[in-house]
Amino acid sequence: MLGDAPMIELAREFAIVRGTLVSESQMGTNAFSIALIDGVPGKVRGAEHFVRQFHLLADAAAPIYALSGRPLGALGLLCLAGAYHPHTLGLMKAGARAIESQRQSDILLFEQNSQLTEINLVLKTISEGLVAWNAEGVVVHANAAAAEILGLPDRALVGKPVSHTLGFPEFLWQAISEKSALTDEEGTLRVGDGEVNCILSVRFGQ
């Protein structure tokens, strides 16, 4: 529960505190139970409360759902009936949707990080050297095998334009410019002042 001190104190006088059971059987008609039981936004103001002692109050609440559609809870606002604003219910709806969106973003980010961790583990185990860069030409990943083959630490590659670190043969540049895949082509890479002879393949992301 969050709010200004006078409203928190008033709610306490009505036995509305953290942990209070807001079911209709305990408190009569109220917006929180409507949101939790019926799964829809609702508002109850003044005499719309079944219990007379709550006629002084107004409340609005909206349900919060998980990605699976499972109800998680509700976001609600309690105020004096005379202070209720017509947009209060809309504010609760928007707040509930914002919470759902944030939870969805957090879940998707967690899943993305988990998948990235799994991919990195796989890339560390393969013997082929792999260097990946984005559309701007900046290296976003280099596995341990690539660093060993090129004689460079991976920190010398990641985060830098690939062309600043590696010199590709002409046929490879042509394949990159045409976005044409290559498989097992012999070539020489320039690495600093030296050269590395290797078998080269190129793939493009979707």
Side-chain angles (χ1 to χ4, degrees):
M1 293 181 62
L2 299 173
D4 57 8
M7 195 64 217
I8 293 291
E9 181 58 33
L10 179 62
R12 185 178 293 111
E13 293 177 8
F14 284 96
I16 302 174
V17 296
R18 184 175 179 179
T20 295
L21 185 61
V22 296
S23 67
E24 291 191 6
S25 62
Q26 296 294 319
M27 294 182 60
T29 309
N30 66 87
F32 299 93
S33 65
I34 291 174
L36 292 170
I37 296 173
D38 296 335
V40 295
K43 66 179 179 67
V44 181
R45 182 180 181 185
E48 294 174 350
H49 291 94
F50 180 78
V51 178
R52 184 180 297 274
Q53 73 180 69
F54 294 128
H55 287 188
L56 182 65
L57 303 175
D59 38 275
I64 300 170
Y65 290 97
L67 276 174
S68 62
R70 179 174 61 89
L72 297 175
L75 175 68
L77 183 142
L78 181 71
C79 64
L80 293 171
Y84 184 84
H85 192 280
H87 296 316
T88 299
L89 182 58
L91 182 64
M92 293 304 98
K93 292 178 184 178
R97 299 296 82 77
I99 292 172
E100 291 173 350
S101 296
Q102 184 60 56
R103 292 191 76 257
Q104 180 177 355
S105 296
D106 292 344
I107 292 171
L108 293 177
L109 180 61
F110 174 79
E111 292 177 349
Q112 185 179 40
N113 287 336
S114 296
Q115 292 172 359
L116 184 59
T117 299
E118 293 173 0
I119 291 172
N120 286 335
L121 287 173
V122 171
L123 294 178
K124 286 181 180 179
T125 62
I126 63 176
S127 58
E128 291 83 1
L130 184 143
V131 178
W133 57 88
N134 60 21
E136 287 72 41
V138 177
V139 176
V140 295
H141 183 83
N143 68 355
E148 182 177 354
I149 292 170
L150 299 173
L152 295 171
D154 55 6
R155 63 179 177 274
L157 294 166
V158 177
K160 300 177 182 178
V162 65
S163 59
H164 288 190
T165 309
L166 303 177
F168 295 150
E170 182 61 32
F171 74 87
L172 193 59
W173 280 123
Q174 183 176 349
I176 292 172
S177 65
E178 296 174 354
K179 289 192 174 182
S180 177
L182 286 178
T183 302
D184 296 341
E185 296 286 342
E186 293 186 17
T188 301
L189 295 179
R190 179 179 51 79
V191 183
D193 296 330
E195 294 182 340
V196 176
N197 296 319
C198 50
I199 303 297
L200 301 171
S201 296
V202 178
R203 294 292 183 273
F204 297 90
Q206 299 298 320

